[in-house]
Amino acid sequence: MDLVKSLPHPEEILALLKFKTIGCSTVNTKLNLKKMDPDMRRCFEYLKMTSRSFCAVIMALDEDLRYGVCIYYLVLRALDTVEDDMTIALDTKCALLETFYQKLNVVGWNFNNSKEKDRMVLDNFQIISSEFRKLSPAFQQIISGSCRDMGSGMAQFLKRKVIDSMTEWDEYCHYVAGLVGIGLSRLFVASGLEEPIVGSDERLANSMGLFLQKTNIIRDFQEDTVQDRLFWPREAWIKYGASQKSLLSPSNMHNSVACLNELVTNAIQHIPDVLTYLGRLKNQSVFNFCAIPQMMAIATLERCYNNPDVFRMNVKIRKGEAVLMIGNSTSIELVKEFMDKYCLSIARKVPENDRNASATRVALQAGLRNKGGAVVVHSFLGIPRDGIFYGLILLMGWKYYLWIKDVKPTFLSSFIPRRWAYSLPDSR
Ligand code: IN0
């Protein structure tokens, strides 16, 4: 099925075939789980259960950083699971979020009352926290501080109930994702794998998180809204509907898509910061780890832009597209090529009458100005690249036909049992 979906994109077919046969060197790791300490192994197993693909990317990180990031990811997932759980009363939830970072140092603490799908990280938190306490003091301090600030920000927004202005949208995304960018950057520097500037330039680290989180919020609109989770800023949707829920109504679709395009335009404004941040990274494993989610995000935004399906279902990128991007998230030049490709594709979809059309083009242009390295070849002598691929397949097919036409009678009959031979055309 994945192959069928990628049929119009031959480069994805090749990437998928390679992935299914020999795997992908960007995320292949020699890490042997069996040789690991049993509790750390369990942590990697939880990681695999919450996010299979992201687990591979974390496991491919160098040295101690992989353990630090694995624990950081699980602690954040636990915090996020508390925030998402609609069965926990608001007061209890806020108190738990605000004090969550302290639980990292409470031996044996866990939480068994969640109904969320990822509750295993709360049920088994005592294992995660005991591995946390084995990390270097520098790693522990970064993770605990990040968790304290995030828990307090989440509680603040839960009490406010709505995300009002665009500034508040940035603030919310800072708490749940920007702080992750800042925390990760500090871990990269503390591990000695990256230069101090990566950790000290918090504006860029924040943008890395905002670009990912805004993409998630845009993509998950339908699923979140039906579950009463309202993450689109009021300042944006109020121009297009009476309430956030009214954007789901088919009769309001034209306005809903206009609102969607406004938020995509806001999100792509982070692209220049993302490219500057990635351009500063020196370590290959850190680069891949950071670049892969950003590539997935731009591809998701491209799929969502001007797409009414966002209001009906969870819009996803093709597996072939994801595999192709994972394989190409290895250098800043390749990342810029892909960013350009997706920015150009969004640019081609901008409706003339969209009220944000010019703002969208300006934001895309800013993303494109970061272009470096070779430009992707989309055509040769004016023939589209996909056309060349299928043209070659046709030519090879025709050559094969001509060859088989001459040799077929004798060639084929040698493979066919005698009793079936009568159904063959006369071979003489
Ligand atoms: C992440 C981020 C993440 C990775 C690398 C660098 C980052 C820099 C700044 C901020 C976040 C960064 O990546 C993951 C990606 C992920 O989980 N993808 C899912 C797919 C999906 O659609 O959710 C997968 O299954 O592969 C991410 O989304 N977040 C995250 C959480 C913790 C850590 Cl340590 C790193 C979540 C979020 C909210 C965007 C921060």
Side-chain angles (χ1 to χ4, degrees), residues 51 53-54 72-73 76 176-177 180-181 184 208-209 212-213 216 219 289-290 293:
S51 173
S53 49
F54 198 52
Y72 189 30
Y73 184 88
L76 294 173
V176 299
V180 181
L184 281 171
M208 291 284 286
L212 298 183
Q213 183 62 3
N216 290 345
R219 179 199 60 193
F289 169 75
C290 289

Side-chain angles (χ1 to χ4, degrees), residues 40 63-73 135 139 143 187:
M40 197 61 191
E63 302 146 32
D64 291 347
L65 189 59
R66 76 166 70 93
Y67 303 108
V69 172
C70 170
I71 299 303
Y72 189 30
Y73 184 88
L135 296 173
F139 276 18
I143 296 172
L187 290 178

Side-chain angles (χ1 to χ4, degrees), residues 72 137-147 182-184 186-187 190:
Y72 189 30
F139 276 18
Q140 288 188 42
Q141 211 178 353
I142 294 165
I143 296 172
S144 165
S146 175
C147 200
I182 294 168
L184 281 171
R186 289 181 182 160
L187 290 178

Side-chain angles (χ1 to χ4, degrees), residues 60 86 103 111 115 160 163 187 207 209 245 253 293 389 404:
M86 302 304 233
K103 314 297 186 204
F111 184 78
K115 305 280 175 294
R160 282 194 220 173
I163 298 174
L187 290 178
S207 297
K245 280 200 172 147
M253 205 42 80
F389 180 85
I404 205 95

